[in-house]
Amino acid sequence: MRCPSVKTRLTSLLQCEYPIVLPGMSWVSTAPLVAAVSNAGGVGILATGPLNSDQTRSAIRQIRKMAPDKPFGVGATLLMPGAKENAQVALEEQVPLINVSLGKADWVADAAHSYGGKVLATVTNAKHAQSSLDAGADALMCAGHEAAAHGGDVTSLVLIRALASRFPDVPLVAAGGFADGRSLSAALMLGADAVAMGSRFAVTEDSPLAEDVKKVVAVPDLNGGATESDTVYGKNFDGIYARVLKTPASIRLNKRPAPLPAVVYRAFKSAQSMGIPLWKVLPGLMTQWDKMYAVAQFGAATEALQAATVDGILDDKGVQFIGQSQGLINDVPTVDTLVQRIMYEAKDAVSENSKRFGEDMMIGDVDVCR
C-alpha cells in the first residue's frame, strides 16, 4: 500500500507528495535519477556542473518526458564556470525549482518568480542564509557537517534547529546525515520541512553511480565496509572543505594542496572537456585570484571524481563524495521502494515516540502517513 501524501511547507511550496529531495550531485543526479525521485513523490534536482548549456536544456526536456507534470529542480553553483549559463537555460525552460549556491542569486530569483518558479538556496550557516533570503530565496537547504561534499562546520543537529529558530517563516530542507525514515522524522522534529538524501539516493538501482562504488557503500560492516567513520573531511582535495569516501587516493590527495601549475593545467583541461572556453576562466584567475584558485582546484579534482563516480575506481586515483550517512546504507533498492520505506519508517518512528510520551504526538503541523 502506497503511503499517503504528507503536508509540510516544502511539499506545499513545490507541490510534491513527500518531503524528500534529491540534491544535485555531479554525474549522479542525471535526468533519469531526477525523474525517478520526482515520480516517486519527492523532488529531484538535476546536477549541471558537468553540463554545458545545450546539455542542460536537453536534460531538462528529458526529465519532463520521463516525469510529466512532476516537480523537479536544476542546480547552479554560481561561482563555477558555466553555471550562470546553465541557470539561464533553466530559467528559459521555466523549471519549477532553481537550487543555487556559492554566488549572488537575486537575478535568478527575479527571473524565476516572474513565471511562478521557486528558489532553493544551499547554505551552511546563518549568515549565508540571511544573504540568500535577502536575494529572494523562497527556501533554504541547510547542509550540515555530516553531508557529502561541501557541508559546513556545524552539525545538522545544531544547524537545523538554529536556522529554524532564526528563520521561523522559511521552509528548510535538512541535508547531511539523513538516509532513512528515522532521519526524516528527526529532521522534522528539529524544525525542517524536508530532507535531502544525496548519498542514499546515489546508492539505488536507478542511480548511475558506478556499481563498484555502490557495493562498497552498501556494506557498512567493520571489516572492509564503509561505515559512518570511513570518510575524510578536508580542503586540500578540491579547494573547499569537502567530505569524501576514505580511500588510499582520498587520503593521499587530502594531505597537501596540489602544486599551482598542476592545478591550473588540470583546471583548464577540465574546462575544455566540458566545453567551457578558456577565456571564461582566465579573467577570473587574474582578477579574483582567491575565488578562482578555489574554482581551479575544484576543476583539477574533476578527474579523480569521475574516476570514482563514473568508472568505479577507488584504489589508486578515484575520489568519491559521500556523507557520513553511508553508515546507514546497507542495500541498493529502487528509488520508489526506498521512498515508500522511508515514509513508513518515519510513520513508525512518530508512533513509537508518541507512546514514549504517553500521548498523541504531532511533528509541528506535519501529519506523517496518517
Side-chain angles (χ1 to χ4, degrees), residues 245-269:
L245 180 67
K246 184 183 288 185
T247 64
S250 67
I251 293 172
R252 184 183 75 253
L253 292 172
N254 262 295
K255 283 184 177 180
R256 61 184 65 88
L260 176 59
V263 167
V264 174
Y265 170 75
R266 295 206 305 266
F268 284 163
K269 185 178 178 182

Side-chain angles (χ1 to χ4, degrees), residues 123-125 142-160 174-178 228 231-234 241-244 322-325:
V123 301
T124 59
N125 57 52
C142 313
H145 189 61
E146 304 92 328
H150 307 108
D153 296 329
V154 183
T155 64
S156 294
L157 183 64
V158 174
L159 181 66
I160 304 308
F178 305 99
E228 62 279 3
T231 66
V232 177
Y233 183 77
Y241 278 100
R243 187 175 302 282
V244 298
I322 201 75
Q324 290 179 326
S325 64

Side-chain angles (χ1 to χ4, degrees), residues 188-189 350 354 359-368 370:
L188 296 175
M189 285 289 287
V350 172
S354 296
E359 57 186 24
D360 291 337
M361 189 175 78
M362 295 283 289
I363 301 180
D365 296 324
V366 181
D367 188 2
V368 182
R370 190 169 180 175

Side-chain angles (χ1 to χ4, degrees), residues 162 206 224 312:
D206 304 87

Side-chain angles (χ1 to χ4, degrees), residues 309-332:
T309 306
V310 178
D311 301 325
I313 301 170
L314 292 174
D315 290 339
D316 54 349
K317 66 177 182 178
V319 177
Q320 178 65 51
F321 285 141
I322 201 75
Q324 290 179 326
S325 64
Q326 70 176 4
L328 304 174
I329 299 171
N330 56 24
D331 63 355
V332 187

Side-chain angles (χ1 to χ4, degrees), residues 43 85 97 191 225 338:
V43 175
E85 290 82 356
L97 178 68
L338 175 63

Side-chain angles (χ1 to χ4, degrees), residues 168-193:
D169 299 324
V170 179
L172 304 181
V173 179
F178 305 99
D180 57 16
R182 286 185 176 273
S183 304
L184 170 58
S185 64
L188 296 175
M189 285 289 287
L190 290 170
D193 300 276

